[in-house]
Amino acid sequence: MKTQIIKINDFSNLSKNSDIKKAGDILRNGGIVAFPTETVYGLGGNALLDDAAHKIYSAKGRPSDNPLIVHIAKPNEAENYAVTNDCYYKLAKAFMPGPLTIILPKKSTIPMSVTGGLDTVAIRCPSHPVAHALLEVAGIPIAAPSANISGKPSPTTASDVVEDMNGKIDCIIDGGDCEIGLESTIIKLDGEKATLLRPGAVTPDALSFICESVEISPAVTQMLKENEKVISPGMKYKHYAPDTPLILLNGTKDNILDFMHKKSAETNCVLLLFSEFIPQFKNSKYIDIGSINSLPEQAAKLFHALRLADKIKAEIIYVPIPKQEGLGLALYNRLLRAAAHTIINV
Ligand code: TXA
Ligand code: MG
């Protein structure tokens, strides 16, 4: 299949842009379009069509029991697809459009293929101008997982998407790099009570201003036991993983730096380094993961860094373990999965 690549250079008047209209037509007619969001690139299909969901699963190589997020242009469109409540609207007022996905009981308008057979549906209203224009122009809800091959890090640049999806889908919209770089926060709502299934840029603290309680699912920070039942099917799959084994380093800053110096002198490894430490590792193989003082910068860089680290063809990748606070919880969660929970105390 030939994949059409559309580059967006002018972000004004996007809903009048003829290329976005073309992409909207493809979606309405059951085709698959990758598009940028503020979190990561999505692999979109018409959420009302069974067939589009099958095409998405097949392009990703994803098990079809792992449900897709339904993207909408405006929070109140959720009425058509889900059973909402007051808390949904309070959260929508605070965080939508933006990087929050809310799981609610589903209505029959959404096919079971989209929700992987579950009777709930994940709803998200993205803030990226291209995603928003595409939703408006297409006039349908868009089912979209991250636009990576299943098990790979989510794509945060158009070139990451081309790497994984060229020749497999109808169209890729290149809208530049994703600002946040980690996937949306996912919560399941039970009345006013939220369960955090995937941490993201909307933090538990921020949610707790609105929800009666915010419980963090154990799967966010812990390894699942064999055959353990999970609320979110995505939690049970190995995720975000580079091909090269990745190891998290836990310890003081000085101990981590000593360990990295030793390993890079003795072995064929890649270091994921905070920008501040790069000058002392000039002769090592490394990838810059942003300033030690900026969690948003680290989040924006992480997935692309994992892809770059893989291309270096080393035997091992080392990375300092993030603190589990604020946006750090999301970084910690993604790295834990990328490392398949392998941590060395140094
Ligand atoms: O930021 C994001 O959320 C991106 C952009 C494209 O919107 N999307 C994304 O989708 O990360 P995906 O499919 O890669 O991750 C969605 C996760 C999966 O782990 C899936 O299992 C879970 O959400 N999920 C979706 N629907 C669910 C449901 N009804 N109940 C429980 N978990 C659900
Ligand atoms: Mg994904």
Side-chain angles (χ1 to χ4, degrees), residues 18-187:
S18 59
D19 282 330
I20 302 261
K21 284 187 181 164
K22 220 185 295 168
D25 288 341
I26 295 175
L27 284 170
R28 258 196 316 278
N29 295 327
I32 304 301
V33 176
F35 62 98
T37 82
E38 69 279 20
T39 57
V40 301
Y41 272 78
L43 189 62
N46 186 336
L48 304 175
L49 300 178
D50 233 4
D51 188 45
H54 293 301
K55 284 186 193 164
I56 291 173
Y57 290 123
S58 141
K60 272 182 77 79
R62 174 170 178 154
S64 59
D65 69 342
N66 192 358
L68 309 174
I69 294 176
V70 173
H71 297 68
I72 53 178
K74 293 195 189 69
N76 64 0
E77 288 175 16
E79 287 308 324
N80 301 325
Y81 317 116
V83 183
T84 61
N85 62 20
D86 285 353
C87 193
Y88 168 81
Y89 281 104
K90 282 191 236 164
L91 288 164
K93 195 162 173 224
F95 303 113
M96 289 185 188
L100 177 65
T101 297
I102 301 181
I103 294 174
L104 295 162
K106 98 186 235 320
K107 289 189 177 165
S108 59
T109 40
I110 298 294
M112 279 292 184
S113 50
V114 168
T115 60
L118 297 176
D119 56 7
T120 52
V121 60
I123 299 283
R124 157 154 150 73
C125 177
S127 64
H128 192 290
V130 171
H132 185 78
L134 185 63
L135 282 158
E136 278 210 323
V137 167
I140 45 157
I142 300 178
S146 49
N148 52 290
I149 293 171
S150 190
K152 292 271 164 212
S154 293
T156 52
T157 72
S159 65
D160 294 346
V161 181
V162 171
E163 191 173 278
D164 284 11
M165 291 297 153
N166 200 16
K168 295 183 189 162
I169 60 175
D170 299 282
C171 173
I172 296 172
I173 307 178
D174 175 352
D177 296 356
C178 300
E179 196 182 330
I180 295 174
L182 299 178
E183 308 89 340
S184 61
T185 302
I186 302 183
I187 57 169

Side-chain angles (χ1 to χ4, degrees), residues 318-340:
Y318 291 111
V319 55
I321 203 164
K323 291 204 178 62
Q324 299 175 44
E325 290 155 18
L327 186 56
L329 182 65
L331 281 161
Y332 178 87
N333 165 268
R334 303 313 189 275
L335 277 170
L336 211 56
R337 283 150 176 256

